[in-house]
Amino acid sequence: MSAPIDPSTTQAWQELTNLAESFQADLAGWFEKQPDRAEQLSFTAAHLRVDLSKNLVTTPVLEALARLAAQTKVEARRDAMFTGEHINTTEDRAVLHTALRRPREDKLEVDGQDVSADVSAVLAQVYDFAERVRAGEWLGVTGKPISTVVNIGIGGSDLGPAMVYEALLPYVKPGLQCRFVSNIDPTDLCEKVKDLDPETTLFIVASKTFTTLETLTNARAARSWLLDQLAARGIWEGKDSAAQLSEQDSRQAVSKHFVAVSTNLEAVAEFGIDPDNAFGFWNWVGGRYSVDSAVGTALAVAIGKEGFSDFLAGMHAMDEHFRTAPLSENVPLLMGLINVWYRNFLHAPTHAVLPYSQYLHRFPAYLQQLTMESNGKAVRWDGEVVTYDTGEIFWGEPGTNGQHAFYQLIHQGTQMIPADFIAFANPTWPLKDGDNDQHELFLGNFFAQTQALAFGKTADQVRAEGTPESIVPARVFPGNKPSTSIMAPRLTPSVLGELIALYEHITFVQGVVWGINSFDQWGVELGKQLAKALTPAIAGDQEVLKQQDPSTKALIDYYHANREN
Ligand code: F6P
């Protein structure tokens, strides 16, 4: 594996530093001088139209960014990813989420594994299961068909499926619903199951490692809930609680109401889930890149084989664009490089993602794991500490809600916040009130926001509206606030797949430029270890309590003093 390049030692980095020093943002002027700027900087990637023209970039900046990509060997590393080199260096693994959506006939062998054959075998298993549930052929222990699927998982085993489910609600089979339990806070599971019928509920326990505390704890609690509820209904004669059930009774019920998704099929069997009801995947799929693996089983049930295949096809279409489009038209490459420009040269600490689609309300949360768990690193893949900023904070909410909450800061605050706006030409629900088309009102806001951000409003314009001089400054919009507009005809499974893959590749590009391994997540380990180590103190172990730092000890003491039972 080639050594990472310190980007700050490249010539392009120096050029960008120089450009940033004398940089004067002037979106209005740039559009005036170059009337075809919008056309020149708008691109098509699969079904997405991406307008980069309202970004704070000029031709010299874009050219220097292209040189930065060349000097940090982004394209070579992209090719290494697609062909299965072990670019996840700290875990010595290939990174092959793109193989999950390759057409079946597209052969790929990596490390002696026939990846294409394995992927299509598991997919066939997932589809078979999904179709049986959808057709009412998969029956619960009392012979009733399944109407609710509860996915238990966390991080990548939750955020992707939960986000996609919400986004594709119109494609969900009527009569079926999915719920998603992730938090170890008992509230999550209890609230999600409290109105469910155990006879028609099926749990999917999704965990890449099958060792995650939250997921295994929730899965055990769900199993107890299921058995207690079934027993209370008297389905086993003379036994009205889980405690009275024989091993065989429990196994029989669990086999009808629990399936699992994991790379660790041994642990699945140990948990008591029938290996025939387990769907595997491989350690070359990172958790946050796994929604298109068997981790998407709940989705395959919800939207069916056709919907899920379209979703995968959309991802593949974006992969192909990323893999083959020249740099000057390669949308993930351009967006990733522009993000580097903002992060390292214009010093933007955060990046907003603002979908104008209520269906995408979980998209920013999903992106937070994708981007921040991937690029929140301070050492390069050879262990050298970086001397420049890396991963920005991603955040957002759907428009127009965000407009009435935090857009004030984007428009008039002191920080520059690059923002991606996402919208669809066609509504799922065409609502009209007289002449008012509600979707047009919605899109009006989408178009207006990027316009306001880019071009602002001068003091003279404010005065011309008759504003008293004393409040003119407060009503000025400085403009030159960068945004990208992403549009597609409609939010379909395939378009959603394209969007997800777009952001996966943007994240990848940034990681390569920074020389970091975007595919490990060691930063989540310490908290897990400490939680395990100090839990006995919470349960009253004085020795362990004494070992805690004064602040933590005092907090645990507060807990003991205030816990009611
Ligand atoms: O703790 C972080 C993490 O490892 C994520 O990367 C992952 O998506 C999540 O936990 C869940 O892990 P698993 O799927 O193994 O339960």
Side-chain angles (χ1 to χ4, degrees), residues 321-341:
H321 169 85
F322 179 50
R323 201 172 62 80
T324 61
L327 191 151
S328 58
E329 298 165 19
N330 192 310
V331 174
L333 249 167
L334 289 168
M335 288 180 74
L337 291 171
I338 292 173
N339 285 355
V340 169
W341 166 243

Side-chain angles (χ1 to χ4, degrees), residues 154-157 207-209 212 215 287-288 369 373 521 524 528:
I154 196 164
S157 300
S207 173
K208 178 176 169 180
T209 54
T212 304
T215 300
R288 54 196 174 274
Q369 187 198 17
E373 205 173 68
Q521 57 283 321
V524 300
K528 289 185 196 173

Side-chain angles (χ1 to χ4, degrees), residues 14 31 59 101 121 125 142 164 276 362 413 447 479 482 501 523:
Q14 193 50 53
F31 274 98
T59 305
R101 54 252 193 170
Q125 203 193 347
T142 56
V164 173
D276 286 347
R362 295 290 290 157
F447 296 125

